[in-house]
Amino acid sequence: MKRQRREAVTMKTIRKVLDNLAAASSSSSSSSTSQPGNRELDIPETLQSEHFQLCKTVRHGFPFEPSALAFDPVQKILAIGTQSGALRLFGRPGVECFCQHDSGAAVIQLQFLINEGALVSALEDDTLHLWNLRQKRPAILHSLKFNRERITFCHLPFQSKWLYVGTEKGNIHIVNVESFTLSGYVIMWNKAIELSSKSHPGPVVHISDNPMDEGKLLIGYESGIVVLWDLKSKKADYRYTYDEAIHSVAWHHEGKQFICSHSDGTLTIWNVRSPARPIQTIVPHGKQIKDGKKPEPCKPILKVEYKTTRYGEPFIILSGGLAYDTVGRRPCLTVMHGKSTAVLEMDYSIVDFLTLCETPYSNDFQEPYAVVVLLEKDLVVIDLAQNGYPIFENPYPLNIHESPVTCCEYFADCPVDLIPALYSVGARQKRQGYSKKEWPISGGNWGVGTQSYPEIIITGHADGSIKFWDASAITLQVLYKLKTAKVFEKSRNKDDKPSTDIVDEDPYAIQMISWCPESRMLCVAGVSAHVIVYRFSKQEVTADVIPMLEVRLLYEINDLESPDIEQVPTPSGGPNSQPIVLQSHPSTSSSSSDGIRDNVPCLRVKSTPLKQSPGYQVELVTQLVWVSGEPPQQITSLAINSAYGLVVFGNCNGIAMVDYIQKTVLLNLGTVELYGSNDPYQRQPRSPRKTRQPSGGLCDINETTVTTEDRCKSPTSAKMSRKLSLPTELKPELDVRDNSFSRSRSSSVTSIDKESREAISALHFCETFTRKPDISTSPCLWVGTTLGTVLVIVLNLPPGGDQRLLQPVIVSPSGTILRLKGAILRMAFLDTVGILIPPAFESWRETNVPDEKEDKERLKKRRPVSVSPSSSQEISENQYAVICSEKQAKVISLPSQNCIHKQNITETSFVLRGDVVSLNNGTCLACFCANGHIMTFSLPSLRPLLDVNYLPLTNMRIARTFCFTNNGQALYLVSPSEIQRITYSQETCENLQEMLGELFTPVETPEAPNRGFFKGLFGGGAQSLDREDLFGETVSGKAPRSLAQHIPGPGGIEGVKGAASGIAADLARARLALDERGQKLGEAEERTAAMLASADSLSKHAHEMMLKYKDKKWYQF
């Protein structure tokens, strides 16, 4: 037997040497402890590299910094462009699409090719792009880059292929949207305005054709000049001049009048045939004009729309124009209908608005029914058909940023009854007074969802609110909103507010969330060093007194050399013995005799009864207090466990554990005190402060038989302790830690003194082996620190039922200390066959229904958390601990504590987020690094499976919100108002095309308005124009090549890539090739026709010349 062991050790040594020589990134370092064989390596791993692929799925939320708006009235599709070049398309609820211009330039205007499945976008970098919307992932077909002029305005008439493009120089160019080439027809500014005018009219701010005559083009210049241009005769019919700058122009549908909005807050209505002066001047928000005097100037009217109805007064809708004396008044949309004027206040600045009408034809009665208002941070749709103009209830998840998002968590494969439960309590929170009509943006079709598992996203916000979202099948819908600030007193004035450095703004902001989906227990940590435990209930209750605890966490080095043995209470073992010295501190003791703030929390809990609606209800509020003039530090880690009834949290001072069932503090220790005598670090004493009072809020570890000196030591951990105490290993690590970004990203680290502290960075409740000699698992807490240390605390829980309510929970150290490089981020546990072991939990039961029998049964039920080994298996191989730090990951066999696998994740960067997740019946470690890499590693071997340079860390928002979850899903906050979901699952990537909704659906174009018998007989109806004959190459020629550059787009290649493999992909490629070939043939045919026409013209001129000079003599020439 000894010989076999020697051979096993020799083989391990040889394998280790070979691995080091090969310098393999996934090399595993075996512990020197001898074991009978190496059976850990025999665990089958189902996950392979081919199971992983990274791609974006969907983007939710309000488009950040919107800049443009468009609507297709036939397809019922809305498009929003942003200042970062993003494009968001919305159809019916659940049909959304995100596109991005590669240049990132701001979108200044959008124009739908109505009912054709295409969209033109004009960008600030003077490019036009044609988007194909007939595929699930829209792609750019053509681009046109203007080189010498800047684009200011575009107009595409309904059912026309000629796009008018106005420029900053005042010229108008015409683009063929089919070939995306410029026509030779140009309207020059100097020909449009009066020849006698000496000044430039300014940029083009408006272009539109007369609704009744397509051959007449209305051009608005910024300076106040409006020109009615005759396209056929290439001259101006009328010129209209006003001495105030123009912002927008709109036609009456009969084409006889138009209205202009000006920079002084006036509206001018002009008769087409009377260019001398406007027939009417309106100042919607100014004082009445008297004695012919000019009205007092108002703010500019940025946009106006003029919409008619068949059986009523027309609507004049405008934004802006308020009087300058309305200081502090919110932005308004004004609706003028007949003699009534409604001023609708908005929460944010108006970016743009559009009136939705029954017809797409501009020469018919418009019949407006709604107004879409794009605000700086919201999208509002107003019902024009109902009295009072109510708004529609917005079905899109556009209110993610209602209060800034401060943290985010993602849960896939939740219990099936969870979403209905949250929806039922959230339905009662909905506002009333919305329009009773259906949401008017109703285009597109839903995708075929293949994902059947429930997904929930939880967002924490700056105002203390928490939102639960249904994220199943790549959709997003708010389920329930919880306001945590309700438990605290509001500060009425500045003097009443406690002076602390962490509650200057948003004192209720959520910093961390710990949630148990099975038990529905929720725990949140706030920025004011407060922790609230919530229990879910479907019944309404009123809490007469909110349960509250105050914890005094102190960081002092002096206790390291001589622990205060007298402060360690030893419970007598009786049922009523309390495992703490101090439960809470009264808030009245706000300062000591010398004026130093002490024993005071940052927030004041309400003392009056609190009515709690169905949903999440307060179970316990725990707050850290000021200590000798030092404010409590923000919480850096948080965990709750429903089976144990415990919540634990830590910061840069130490760790505290609370029993939320008995409402007592079980553990309250500085980080240094967790080590006891095994502290491997050479710490410098901190600056002298007041000595700690004997029982000033510190609750030490409760033990039964372990003495203070030996409580953090185990006989088998001596070698590991000696190894960790080596200064050569500690000093370089500290240098790296102090200079790394990860220290600066901790919001609790604000000074040099705090910078050197060891903070609690990870917490994990589990049922596992706590020491090497253990032969069975027991409940425990694994604690990770920012210096890369993992410590294990044993939990001795009383039996269930009534005894759990009476007997104390005993907390004691195990002496186990493990070390990694970098701050600990995540800990998880695998069973013998490598399957992830979930933490213990208690299934949810309604607690507010009085039923003693059910309540007792519920307390007795505890979920087993470890897989019991069979008799043939050795206990030493029973579990594996997976520990991920900022720099590396280790898999440790338990109870032997041998490191069987080790992976250095990154050398030059650090891991921001690491999660152990389940995928395809396997388990893997997923990591997101600060250098933008997303990586996955198999478990337990830590073999690299995926490494993609996805997203470099550009701001703290991404670092704070990035999270992985099961089934290959992940998300992060890509902007302050948008969530980007991604997948790293090959299966999801393949099915994504089917899951995405379709924007374009075949819809018949409405019939054109009937001209009527007499109009058809005597004229007077809409006059059509053969634009092809006017703007085509044969008549107008070609535009100079230097004016604009044509750039062919992908032409729908993305759609082909996303198509299903096999025949569908082949058909898509063939169709694309045919389209391209047809386009080339069409271009060749046009060129041939042009050459034939040129040849005919040349032949004709030659024949005429021959006839002219045929009979003349040579001397007559």
Side-chain angles (χ1 to χ4, degrees):
M1 188 69 182
K2 289 181 180 179
R3 184 179 175 184
Q4 288 178 352
R5 288 184 180 179
R6 265 191 244 109
E7 288 176 356
V9 171
T10 305
M11 288 300 295
K12 286 179 186 176
T13 307
I14 293 170
R15 189 181 294 109
K16 187 175 179 182
V17 171
L18 290 173
D19 287 343
N20 289 336
L21 289 172
S25 61
S26 59
S27 60
S28 57
S29 57
S30 300
S31 173
S32 59
T33 307
S34 61
Q35 289 190 8
N38 199 359
R39 294 178 58 187
E40 294 92 345
L41 302 177
D42 297 336
I43 297 174
E45 294 180 355
T46 57
L47 292 178
Q48 302 298 328
S49 297
E50 54 265 25
H51 292 130
F52 293 87
Q53 182 183 342
L54 193 69
C55 70
K56 294 179 181 179
T57 52
V58 286
R59 183 174 292 198
H60 301 297
F62 182 77
F64 183 57
E65 295 182 337
S67 56
L69 181 68
F71 183 71
D72 187 326
V74 179
Q75 287 287 319
K76 308 283 188 189
I77 295 289
L78 185 76
I80 297 176
T82 73
Q83 293 182 23
S84 60
L87 193 61
R88 292 285 296 279
L89 297 145
F90 297 91
R92 65 179 60 192
V95 177
E96 293 181 33
C97 183
F98 167 79
C99 311
Q100 177 69 48
H101 294 91
D102 292 336
S103 66
V107 179
I108 58 174
Q109 199 174 349
L110 296 171
Q111 288 273 311
F112 273 102
L113 277 68
I114 294 173
N115 203 28
E116 292 185 26
L119 175 75
V120 174
S121 58
L123 271 57
E124 201 173 39
D125 63 354
D126 308 310
T127 54
L128 297 172
H129 302 277
L130 178 65
W131 290 86
N132 177 16
L133 307 183
R134 290 178 177 246
Q135 54 195 46
K136 291 191 173 184
R137 287 182 169 176
I140 293 174
L141 291 171
H142 299 283
S143 298
L144 194 64
K145 168 73 174 172
F146 280 74
N147 297 321
R148 296 187 295 186
E149 297 193 50
R150 307 217 64 185
I151 299 171
T152 55
F153 193 87
C154 298
H155 170 62
L156 180 66
F158 179 42
Q159 295 182 325
S160 168
K161 70 173 185 178
W162 298 97
L163 173 73
Y164 301 104
V165 180
T167 68
E168 196 174 46
K169 289 184 177 180
N171 303 325
I172 294 177
H173 301 278
I174 300 168
V175 177
N176 185 329
V177 292
E178 290 181 354
S179 61
F180 239 55
T181 54
L182 274 176
S183 166
Y185 192 110
V186 182
I187 304 173
M188 304 300 289
W189 68 270
N190 52 358
K191 292 184 179 179
I193 65 170
E194 294 280 359
L195 296 175
S196 59
S197 177
K198 295 180 180 180
S199 59
H200 190 277
V204 175
V205 296
H206 178 83
I207 307 170
S208 61
D209 48 337
N210 188 315
M212 288 296 180
D213 189 351
E214 295 175 350
K216 309 291 185 182
L217 199 65
L218 196 69
I219 306 166
Y221 293 96
E222 190 180 62
S223 63
I225 298 172
V226 179
V227 176
L228 187 66
W229 181 265
D230 189 310
L231 291 167
K232 289 182 179 178
S233 62
K234 299 184 181 181
K235 65 179 183 179
D237 282 354
Y238 299 102
R239 296 179 177 92
Y240 315 84
T241 305
Y242 194 72
D243 56 359
E244 290 293 338
I246 289 177
H247 283 276
S248 71
V249 184
W251 279 103
H252 186 282
H253 87 275
E254 292 179 348
K256 296 177 182 178
Q257 292 180 355
F258 62 88
I259 186 170
C260 300
S261 71
H262 299 277
S263 57
D264 63 344
T266 59
L267 296 173
T268 55
I269 300 177
W270 300 78
N271 193 321
V272 171
R273 299 182 182 273
S274 304
R277 65 180 61 85
I279 59 171
Q280 189 178 359
T281 301
I282 307 169
V283 188
H285 297 285
K287 294 179 181 177
Q288 295 295 323
I289 303 171
K290 293 181 181 179
D291 302 329
K293 292 182 180 179
K294 197 171 183 180
E296 291 185 10
C298 294
K299 295 176 184 177
I301 296 177
L302 300 176
K303 186 174 182 179
V304 63
E305 291 203 342
Y306 198 4
K307 302 298 180 183
T308 55
T309 57
R310 193 177 298 275
Y311 303 110
E313 298 286 342
F315 283 87
I316 297 177
I317 304 167
L318 57 107
S319 63
L322 294 176
Y324 278 104
D325 58 0
T326 55
V327 180
R329 190 170 182 179
R330 294 190 292 180
C332 294
L333 185 83
T334 305
V335 180
M336 302 171 68
H337 185 221
K339 294 182 180 180
S340 70
T341 299
V343 181
L344 310 175
E345 289 193 342
M346 302 292 160
D347 292 332
Y348 307 101
S349 300
I350 297 174
V351 176
D352 198 359
F353 73 88
L354 287 172
T355 307
L356 308 189
C357 301
E358 296 289 352
T359 176
Y361 295 95
S362 59
N363 58 355
D364 194 10
F365 288 99
Q366 301 298 291
E367 304 294 347
Y369 60 90
V371 182
V372 179
V373 188
L374 178 63
L375 305 177
E376 199 175 34
K377 295 182 179 180
D378 200 3
L379 182 73
V380 176
V381 182
I382 299 163
D383 187 355
L384 290 177
Q386 291 189 34
N387 292 331
Y389 304 130
I391 65 170
F392 288 87
E393 184 178 7
N394 198 322
Y396 306 135
L398 300 183
N399 59 342
I400 292 171
H401 65 297
E402 186 178 20
S403 172
V405 177
T406 52
C407 66
C408 201
E409 293 295 336
Y410 191 7
F411 300 86
D413 210 3
C414 300
V416 291
D417 60 341
L418 197 51
I419 289 176
L422 290 167
Y423 181 81
S424 65
V425 295
R428 309 183 190 193
Q429 300 176 330
K430 289 190 175 180
R431 288 173 48 192
Q432 302 297 321
Y434 290 112
S435 169
K436 296 177 182 178
K437 292 187 176 181
E438 290 187 3
W439 182 250
I441 305 164
S442 55
N445 283 323
W446 294 302
V448 181
T450 56
Q451 292 182 354
S452 57
Y453 51 86
E455 298 174 76
I456 291 178
I457 295 172
I458 305 178
T459 54
H461 299 264
D463 64 352
S465 62
I466 293 172
K467 289 181 181 177
F468 292 79
W469 305 83
D470 177 7
S472 308
I474 68 171
T475 61
L476 194 70
Q477 181 185 6
V478 68
L479 292 170
Y480 172 71
K481 180 179 178 180
L482 170 66
K483 296 179 180 178
T484 65
K486 281 185 175 181
V487 303
F488 299 109
E489 298 280 0
K490 294 287 194 307
S491 300
R492 296 179 183 177
N493 51 56
K494 292 183 179 179
D495 298 333
D496 191 36
K497 197 173 184 178
S499 59
T500 169
D501 60 350
I502 60 174
V503 291
D504 292 339
E505 294 181 4
D506 301 322
Y508 312 110
I510 304 300
Q511 200 168 10
M512 299 189 118
I513 298 170
S514 179
W515 187 50
C516 176
E518 289 80 10
S519 65
R520 304 182 190 175
M521 292 299 297
L522 173 69
C523 185
V524 298
V527 75
S528 297
H530 61 278
V531 174
I532 311 176
V533 179
Y534 287 92
R535 191 184 293 275
F536 186 85
S537 174
K538 294 181 179 179
Q539 307 297 319
E540 183 178 295
V541 296
T542 300
D544 295 330
V545 179
I546 299 173
M548 179 187 68
L549 290 175
E550 293 176 0
V551 178
R552 183 183 175 96
L553 263 183
L554 188 62
Y555 176 87
E556 286 195 321
I557 296 296
N558 298 334
D559 293 327
L560 179 61
E561 295 178 359
S562 57
D564 193 350
I565 301 175
E566 295 178 358
Q567 288 188 33
V568 182
T570 304
S572 60
N576 297 322
S577 61
Q578 293 298 317
I580 59 169
V581 174
L582 187 65
Q583 175 176 332
S584 63
H585 304 273
S587 299
T588 51
S589 58
S590 60
S591 61
S592 58
S593 57
D594 55 357
I596 297 175
R597 188 177 291 272
D598 195 45
N599 283 351
V600 181
C602 296
L603 301 173
R604 187 174 297 140
V605 177
K606 280 185 179 177
S607 55
T608 55
L610 179 66
K611 183 180 178 181
Q612 302 190 81
S613 303
Y616 275 102
Q617 299 166 353
V618 179
E619 180 81 6
L620 176 66
V621 179
T622 305
Q623 294 190 87
L624 297 181
V625 296
W626 285 66
V627 177
S628 303
E630 182 180 341
Q633 296 305 307
Q634 291 180 8
I635 291 161
T636 57
S637 55
L638 177 71
I640 189 171
N641 188 280
S642 59
Y644 306 156
L646 303 178
V647 61
V648 62
F649 55 92
N651 61 10
C652 65
N653 281 341
I655 186 172
M657 187 186 297
V658 172
D659 181 345
Y660 65 78
I661 294 176
Q662 295 187 20
K663 311 293 188 292
T664 57
V665 180
L666 300 175
L667 178 70
N668 181 3
L669 284 179
T671 314
V672 179
E673 295 172 299
L674 284 171
Y675 290 93
S677 60
N678 284 354
D679 188 4
Y681 303 112
Q682 299 174 354
R683 304 177 196 264
Q684 297 296 324
R686 66 188 301 222
S687 56
R689 229 186 240 285
K690 286 181 62 178
T691 56
R692 186 173 59 184
Q693 298 169 4
S695 61
L698 178 73
C699 314
D700 215 329
I701 292 179
N702 295 276
E703 305 172 59
T704 51
T705 57
V706 184
T707 63
T708 308
E709 285 295 322
D710 296 326
R711 57 186 176 156
C712 290
K713 211 184 265 184
S714 72
T716 56
S717 64
K719 189 178 292 185
M720 188 176 291
S721 299
R722 283 199 301 273
K723 179 185 175 185
L724 292 176
S725 63
L726 291 174
T728 55
E729 188 169 317
L730 174 64
K731 289 178 181 177
E733 177 63 23
L734 284 177
D735 292 340
V736 172
R737 294 292 304 137
D738 287 342
N739 294 326
S740 70
F741 173 76
S742 57
R743 286 304 271 170
S744 65
R745 68 188 166 94
S746 174
S747 55
S748 63
V749 180
T750 54
S751 68
I752 296 173
D753 179 40
K754 296 165 196 166
E755 191 75 30
S756 61
R757 299 185 189 179
E758 183 179 12
I760 307 297
S761 58
L763 296 163
H764 187 81
F765 285 106
C766 55
E767 194 161 326
T768 187
F769 302 95
T770 57
R771 301 177 181 90
K772 286 186 179 182
D774 286 356
I775 59 172
S776 62
T777 61
S778 58
C780 59
L781 171 71
W782 284 51
V783 181
T785 74
T786 52
L787 291 184
T789 304
V790 176
L791 304 117
V792 183
I793 296 173
V794 182
L795 308 174
N796 190 353
L797 298 167
D802 294 336
Q803 294 185 58
R804 175 64 183 88
L805 303 174
L806 300 174
Q807 293 187 18
V809 176
I810 308 300
V811 182
S812 60
S814 67
T816 298
I817 297 179
L818 305 171
R819 284 281 294 138
L820 273 78
K821 184 180 178 183
I824 305 299
L825 298 179
R826 191 71 57 195
M827 295 171 284
F829 295 86
L830 310 178
D831 64 10
T832 310
V833 294
I835 296 174
L836 183 65
I837 303 173
F841 64 83
E842 181 183 57
S843 297
W844 178 79
R845 286 286 190 91
E846 179 61 70
T847 56
N848 292 328
V849 177
D851 191 339
E852 294 182 4
K853 191 174 182 181
E854 281 190 12
D855 196 48
K856 288 181 180 179
E857 287 179 1
R858 179 181 59 82
L859 288 170
K860 288 177 183 176
K861 285 186 178 180
R862 300 289 180 216
R863 175 185 167 87
V865 292
S866 61
V867 180
S868 301
S870 63
S871 58
S872 61
Q873 292 175 332
E874 291 189 55
I875 297 296
S876 61
E877 297 180 38
N878 197 45
Q879 285 186 3
Y880 302 97
V882 181
I883 307 172
C884 177
S885 76
E886 286 183 330
K887 292 288 186 180
Q888 62 182 197
K890 286 185 178 180
V891 175
I892 295 167
S893 177
L894 298 176
S896 66
Q897 297 182 12
N898 294 330
C899 177
I900 60 169
H901 295 290
K902 174 181 164 184
Q903 177 68 249
N904 290 322
I905 299 171
T906 177
E907 295 292 342
T908 57
S909 184
F910 55 91
V911 179
L912 286 166
R913 177 83 183 208
D915 287 294
V916 178
V917 293
S918 298
L919 174 68
N920 293 350
N921 298 320
T923 308
C924 67
L925 170 65
C927 299
F928 172 56
C929 292
N931 60 8
H933 283 253
I934 290 178
M935 296 179 282
T936 60
F937 302 92
S938 66
L939 289 175
S941 71
L942 291 175
R943 177 169 41 88
L945 298 172
L946 176 74
D947 186 354
V948 177
N949 188 2
Y950 172 71
L951 176 77
L953 181 67
T954 53
N955 52 54
M956 282 299 301
R957 181 181 58 251
I958 297 172
R960 192 176 62 245
T961 57
F962 199 103
C963 49
F964 297 96
T965 188
N966 295 330
N967 298 330
Q969 307 296 330
L971 65 79
Y972 59 94
L973 210 66
V974 69
S975 75
S977 59
E978 294 170 288
I979 288 175
Q980 178 66 59
R981 291 168 68 177
I982 61 175
T983 182
Y984 49 95
S985 163
Q986 170 69 28
E987 184 181 357
T988 305
C989 289
E990 288 179 353
N991 296 330
L992 184 60
Q993 189 73 10
E994 295 179 7
M995 296 166 64
L996 294 173
E998 290 183 279
L999 288 167
F1000 180 80
T1001 52
V1003 179
E1004 285 190 17
T1005 302
E1007 289 185 9
N1010 192 355
R1011 293 177 63 185
F1013 175 75
F1014 290 105
K1015 284 186 178 179
L1017 189 63
F1018 302 109
Q1023 301 294 315
S1024 61
L1025 172 72
D1026 188 353
R1027 295 188 179 95
E1028 182 69 38
D1029 184 52
L1030 193 61
F1031 304 141
E1033 191 175 314
T1034 54
V1035 177
S1036 299
K1038 287 186 177 181
R1041 288 189 176 183
S1042 59
L1043 183 62
Q1045 177 189 358
H1046 177 259
I1047 305 166
I1053 293 293
E1054 291 299 321
V1056 174
K1057 286 180 181 176
S1061 59
I1063 297 173
D1066 293 337
L1067 285 172
R1069 292 189 193 96
R1071 189 182 305 156
L1072 178 63
L1074 282 171
D1075 289 343
E1076 290 176 351
R1077 186 182 175 203
Q1079 183 181 339
K1080 289 176 181 177
L1081 286 172
E1083 292 173 358
E1085 188 177 345
E1086 287 177 5
R1087 285 196 294 270
T1088 305
M1091 289 170 67
L1092 284 172
S1094 178
D1096 288 342
S1097 177
L1098 181 62
S1099 174
K1100 185 179 178 182
H1101 285 300
H1103 185 67
E1104 288 174 355
M1105 187 78 73
M1106 184 265 293
L1107 291 175
K1108 184 177 180 181
Y1109 298 110
K1110 183 176 71 170
D1111 297 327
K1112 289 188 178 184
K1113 304 296 182 183
W1114 63 270
Y1115 50 82
Q1116 292 177 316
F1117 287 98

